[in-house]
Amino acid sequence: MTMGDVKKIRCAPACLLDPEKLERQLNRLSAEGWQLEGSGWFSLRCRRGEPNEYRYRVQYIYESRDDQKDDYVRGLAGMGVELVMDLRGFLILRKRNDGTPFELFSDRDSQITSEKRYLRTRGLLAAFWLVLAARALHRAAVWYRYILEYTADGTAESGIDLLHSWAERIFADGLLGLLWLAMGVGFFLQAYRSVKRLRRLRQARLIEE
């Protein structure tokens, strides 16, 4: 949505963010002259500026203590990197586009370590949501079996309210199961992309050695 010099873009909740996708989107907007300014309700706010004024990076911070994060951000500031916002551990960083590469990890070992962390986090989140999805879909299947068994004995007409209750539970559990399944598959695909990036990084390190 665009209102004059302000553009709003949709943003998933922090637990669902795909940092690489968001990073590509911010850099594409920067090339068009839209620079990140703030956040709203499930949205990010950009203001019109100079095209390609900044390059953006989105990074997940694993440090659990705020002082570690603060020290890290201060260290980046010394290299001309600005923290635009912190979305519950996802740091949106930018640096003026002076023609030099904007890399948070310049050596292969650091890149591999960072990607391993991404892979571990995404793998755990994929497993978490897939387990929830399996449980919800299993419950829906159980309620459906109850309906089949109940209607098979010929007493369904006397228990119409009970059937309605079971049908509502099938709908609720099925809907939740499909939603959680979509989230689990999304994180699984992100984890798969991390595996591919790890393979490329390790191959590049072997070539350099």
Side-chain angles (χ1 to χ4, degrees):
M1 180 175 64
T2 304
M3 296 181 295
D5 289 337
V6 176
K7 178 193 287 280
K8 288 187 178 181
I9 59 174
R10 294 177 183 175
C11 177
C15 64
L16 301 177
L17 276 181
D18 182 342
E20 290 86 3
K21 181 178 178 181
L22 179 59
E23 189 175 285
R24 290 193 300 270
Q25 186 176 24
L26 291 174
N27 283 315
R28 177 180 56 78
L29 289 168
S30 178
E32 297 172 358
W34 296 101
Q35 307 303 333
L36 186 61
E37 181 184 61
S39 62
W41 184 253
F42 293 153
S43 67
L44 297 175
R45 185 175 66 255
C46 298
R47 184 168 294 277
R48 190 180 296 278
E50 295 295 324
N52 286 314
E53 184 177 1
Y54 293 99
R55 293 289 296 170
Y56 290 85
R57 292 287 179 265
V58 181
Q59 182 184 15
Y60 183 69
I61 287 295
Y62 301 86
E63 288 79 358
S64 59
R65 292 179 295 183
D66 289 338
D67 57 345
Q68 291 178 316
K69 185 185 298 183
D70 293 341
D71 289 343
Y72 178 68
V73 171
R74 279 193 292 268
L76 292 176
M79 299 184 291
V81 178
E82 172 189 357
L83 173 63
V84 185
M85 64 181 62
D86 180 352
L87 300 176
R88 294 189 178 182
F90 285 91
L91 303 185
I92 301 182
L93 307 159
R94 70 183 180 189
K95 182 176 181 292
R96 286 199 175 273
N97 192 7
D98 56 4
T100 60
F102 178 16
E103 298 292 343
L104 295 173
F105 304 106
S106 56
D107 63 284
R108 294 297 182 195
D109 287 339
S110 296
Q111 292 173 348
I112 289 173
T113 299
S114 177
E115 200 60 53
K116 283 181 178 178
R117 290 172 172 173
Y118 271 124
L119 175 58
R120 182 168 60 249
T121 301
R122 290 164 173 170
L124 289 173
L125 287 171
F128 173 75
W129 290 115
L130 289 174
V131 167
L132 286 183
R135 293 178 63 182
L137 293 174
H138 174 71
R139 287 196 303 269
V142 169
W143 293 121
Y144 181 68
R145 188 172 68 249
Y146 285 166
I147 288 181
L148 292 180
E149 293 174 352
Y150 192 67
T151 55
D153 64 10
T155 60
E157 291 184 2
S158 62
I160 192 68
D161 291 339
L162 184 60
L163 289 176
H164 284 165
S165 175
W166 288 347
E168 289 174 357
R169 293 180 181 182
I170 290 173
F171 177 78
D173 284 331
L175 187 62
L176 282 176
L178 291 176
L179 174 62
W180 291 337
L181 178 63
M183 294 169 68
V185 169
F187 280 113
F188 176 82
L189 292 175
Q190 289 186 33
Y192 176 69
R193 290 196 291 269
S194 285
V195 170
K196 292 173 66 176
R197 279 192 291 271
L198 267 175
R199 187 180 298 118
R200 289 196 299 268
L201 287 169
R202 285 168 173 161
Q203 289 173 348
R205 184 174 62 179
L206 287 174
I207 293 172
E208 292 170 356
E209 292 176 349

